[in-house]
Every structure is written in structure tokens, then in C-alpha cells.
Amino acid sequence: MTDFRDDGEWARAQDAKDDLSRFRAEFAFPDGVELYFAGHSLGLMPRRAREYVAAELDAWARRGVEGHVEGERPWLPYHELLTAPVARLLGARPHEVVVMNSATVNLHLMLVSFYRPTRSRYRIVIEEGAFPSDRYAVASQARFHGHPDAVVEVPRGEDPARYIDGSAALLLFGSPNFLSGEAFDLTALSSAAHERGCIAGFDLSHGAGNLQLELHDSGADFAVWCNYKYLNGGPGGLGGAFVHERHASADLPRFAGWWGHDKGSRFTMPAGFRAIPGAEGWQLSNPPILQLAALRASLELFDAAGIAALRAKSVRLVAYLEWLLRDRGELLTPSDPARRGAMLTLRVPADAPSLLRRLRARGAVCDARPPDVLRLSAPPLYTRFADVQRLAAMLREEL
């Protein structure tokens, strides 16, 4: 039995007693938009991001090259300002995470190190309907190693452990899945993989800043993610990577770059590469400071709110959205809160792109996958119960 009510006054009362409601004012909404349900695609801009990026532009103008080592936030160690907040957010230890590159670049770097196929153990196990970039990346790596038929897709609803046999070298799952919104038990998947002698990796592009993750305790070997969806890092923003500490000093093959070299001797330009222990050792080049500044603005908000509180609100927001939209379409996302994040995917009795345009004309931004799939996300940092109630009312009218 639920206490939900399809009533604007009830929804506003929930917002009035929500301790996290103050964070909505920290974000800039697009012109003419009050209902933004596309944070799974691109998160809103934190208002302070403009100030933080401008500060580094100003430092560049005033200091030039000396900005690398001078000022309140020197650029040389700037990426380290994000390490602790990211570790807290993902349930990792600081030396296990690094912000760098983009998600797919990081995935390729991880595959270089962790996908080491042999003649008998070469298969890559992924979820059916994985994000296309993940599918392209693993297929290209498999072909590169001479195994063009290595990729195995686990049908939705089936136990992945059944597909991890003696021929499996790597498990790579996206959690949550980008289309269905289904989240997976990382600990169970990692354990199943390791019990069968298989590496466990994850794409958390839809999980970082969305789910309450415990990456270190999960036992995962590696993970990658982007920072521009739920983490609001800006369009095309930097990604991140996790490498479990048991691999911190392992002699793994890797594609190396100077920024991953030992910090103490980096600028003496030695002939041989010596990796920084931990995830930082996979860095290639010095990172873009302006993108780091924008992401730092968002991570401050996550730190202030706390991922546990955000997740608790998210569970209730999405349950309310599901309740309001009951019988308005086929729910493709699991109803179990433990198996989903902030996004619901519906198959609707309408042309989804056309529906999207009509909603946008009424001040609501959502996301569609032709011909009839609608994706709706309610990031708890800036979504209100009143927003959910109003969007559901619009959808009922349009459908």
C-alpha cells in the first residue's frame, strides 16, 4: 500500500519537507523549461560552474604558463581536487579512481590491460542491448586480438553466470543499462566472474551519481564512466576510471602516457616509463582544466547532499513516477528499486519523437528512442515531486 496521491498540493507538500529541495536552485534550466527529465543524457549546468570555469580562464590570462604551479588552485595537481569526492561517490578508495579522458577511451585503456585472451579463454560477456559504444569497443578489441566472434550477449532476464564458462576472459556490464534502466548487482557479478577465472569490469556511465555504489567492496577489477549525465560535468565532459587496489602495482600491459608516469620524476623526462601506483597510472596526458573546473562545481553539490540521501529520495521519486504512469505504457525498467536508478523506460502507445516535441512545447524535456520508447529520469538533485506529478499529468493528456 502506498501513500502517494495524484495531487499537486500533495506533491508540493513532499517538496516542502524535502531537505534536498534547496539544491534545485543551484542549477540552470533551459529557456522555457521547468520540467527536465533528461539527466540520463545530459545533466543540467550547476550555476557555480560558470564561476569556476571563469576563475581558471582568469588565471590563464593573468599567469600564463605559471598557472601550472602558482595560484590558489595550480593546474598541475588540479585533477586531484576531484579524487576524494569521486571516491566517496563511487564507494572507492582515492588511489582507485581518476578523472580522465572520455568513457570509451577509458574503456579501451582498461581493455588493453585486462582483456588478455588466450586460445582457449577469449570470450567477452556483455548484456544484451549494451550501449553501442561498449559493443563497438569490445568487438574491436576482440578483432584486434584475432577473435572476431568473441562477444557473447546475455539475454535480458537470464543469469549472467550461466554464460561465464571456461572460455570467458572478461565480463563487461553496463549498470544501469542505458535503455532499459536495469541495474545489476556488481558484487554478485564480480564474484561469479572471479569464481570462473574471469575479469569483471563495468560501464557505470548511467550509475555514477545515480546509484549508491560500493565499487571497492564489490571486488570489480575495473570500471569506467562518463561525468556529463547524472554528474552534470558538461557536454562532452571528462570520464573516469576505477582500478581495484589489488592491481595498483601489478605489472599489467598498458598504453602509457607521460601523465601516468611517476610524479616525482615526470618533469625530468626519463627514458623509461614508471607508472604511478593506482588508477592515476593509466593517465595519458594532462587533463583539460576548464572541464575539471565544471565538474568540480557539481561534485561539491554531491558532497553537500550526500549520495545516501540522494539515493533515498531518488527511490521515492521514481516510485511515484511509476505509480502515476501505471497503465499508460509498458514499463521496460524493473519495478524493484534495487534493480533500477533514477530512470524509467516506457513503451508508449504513440510515436515517441512526436510525443517528445509536444512535451517540449509545453516546457518538459524528456528523451525518446524511436519508434515508441520514452526514457524519463528524475535526478534528485534538481527534480521535485511536483515536477513528477506535472509531467505525469502532461503524459496522460498527450497519450
Side-chain angles (χ1 to χ4, degrees):
M1 202 69 178
T2 179
D3 67 335
F4 295 147
R5 286 169 48 190
D6 186 3
D7 178 86
E9 184 177 347
W10 180 90
R12 288 188 293 274
Q14 307 309 300
D15 295 322
K17 61 185 181 182
D18 174 22
D19 291 339
L20 299 175
S21 61
R22 68 188 188 278
F23 289 100
R24 180 182 173 87
E26 294 278 357
F27 291 89
F29 282 71
D31 293 343
V33 171
E34 193 172 352
L35 306 179
Y36 191 82
F37 284 79
H40 57 271
S41 184
L42 179 65
L44 292 177
M45 186 191 85
R47 294 185 183 278
R48 65 182 69 181
R50 189 187 305 276
E51 171 194 344
Y52 287 17
V53 171
E56 301 314 319
L57 288 172
D58 185 55
W60 179 20
R62 290 186 294 110
R63 292 192 172 91
V65 70
E66 293 173 347
H68 283 98
V69 294
E70 293 183 357
E72 184 181 354
R73 290 172 298 275
W75 302 326
L76 192 63
Y78 195 102
H79 73 277
E80 297 172 13
L81 297 174
L82 286 70
T83 300
V86 167
R88 286 190 287 271
L89 201 56
L90 274 69
R93 296 178 179 175
H95 62 279
E96 293 178 319
V97 297
V98 63
V99 174
M100 63 179 188
N101 309 316
S102 63
T104 304
V105 170
N106 290 336
L107 178 56
H108 276 294
L109 293 177
M110 295 296 105
L111 292 175
V112 166
S113 297
F114 291 102
Y115 178 55
R116 309 303 302 163
T118 65
R119 182 173 297 181
S120 61
R121 186 182 284 275
Y122 61 92
R123 295 197 183 278
I124 302 173
V125 180
I126 65 173
E127 84 270 24
E128 183 181 54
F131 187 66
S133 201
D134 289 358
R135 289 189 280 112
Y136 303 155
V138 297
S140 67
Q141 289 274 345
R143 287 195 302 271
F144 177 79
H145 286 283
H147 299 287
D149 300 318
V151 180
V152 176
E153 295 190 9
V154 179
R156 186 180 177 197
E158 294 203 19
D159 181 6
R162 292 180 51 203
Y163 293 79
I164 308 172
D165 57 21
S167 68
L170 172 73
L171 170 85
L172 178 75
F173 263 51
S175 185
N177 177 270
F178 87 103
L179 183 60
S180 71
E182 180 178 4
F184 299 96
D185 186 332
L186 306 193
T187 301
L189 287 177
S190 297
S191 296
H194 294 157
E195 288 168 2
R196 295 161 175 80
C198 181
I199 291 290
F202 299 97
D203 181 347
L204 301 176
S205 292
H206 285 259
N210 179 11
L211 302 174
Q212 188 172 2
L213 299 165
E214 297 293 343
L215 264 183
H216 174 83
D217 291 343
S218 77
D221 293 288
F222 73 86
V224 300
W225 63 92
C226 65
N227 288 306
Y228 58 80
K229 299 181 187 297
Y230 294 99
L231 288 176
N232 316 304
L238 287 165
F242 161 89
V243 178
H244 198 280
E245 68 177 7
R246 65 176 170 274
H247 303 298
S249 300
D251 185 20
L252 292 168
R254 73 179 79 205
F255 286 166
W258 81 305
W259 215 251
H261 180 85
D262 169 63
K263 296 176 186 178
S265 60
R266 179 187 286 156
F267 283 91
T268 65
M269 311 293 179
F273 175 80
R274 187 164 70 250
I276 302 169
E280 283 188 299
W282 272 265
Q283 294 175 110
L284 299 179
S285 302
N286 48 323
I289 299 301
L290 303 184
Q291 288 192 341
L292 286 175
L295 178 58
R296 183 169 69 88
S298 181
L299 290 176
E300 283 186 354
L301 299 174
F302 275 94
D303 250 355
I307 189 62
L310 288 167
R311 175 60 177 155
K313 177 182 176 181
S314 176
V315 167
R316 189 159 164 78
L317 274 175
V318 176
Y320 186 41
L321 180 60
E322 180 185 6
W323 182 80
L324 288 168
L325 294 179
R326 61 196 184 282
D327 303 324
R328 294 294 172 173
E330 178 191 356
L331 182 67
L332 303 181
T333 308
S335 285
D336 181 358
R339 296 179 56 213
R340 69 185 184 195
M343 185 181 80
L344 287 184
T345 302
L346 293 170
R347 179 168 283 117
V348 294
D351 176 70
S354 175
L355 174 61
L356 210 65
R357 290 191 292 272
R358 297 198 302 274
L359 290 171
R360 180 61 181 85
R362 299 179 65 178
V365 173
C366 305
D367 175 65
R369 286 292 181 270
D372 58 359
V373 171
L374 194 65
R375 296 193 301 171
L376 309 169
S377 62
L381 265 177
Y382 51 75
T383 305
R384 302 173 299 194
F385 285 87
D387 300 331
V388 170
Q389 194 272 335
R390 287 177 58 201
L391 178 73
M394 283 187 192
L395 280 169
R396 287 195 300 272
E397 292 167 9
E398 294 294 342
L399 291 173

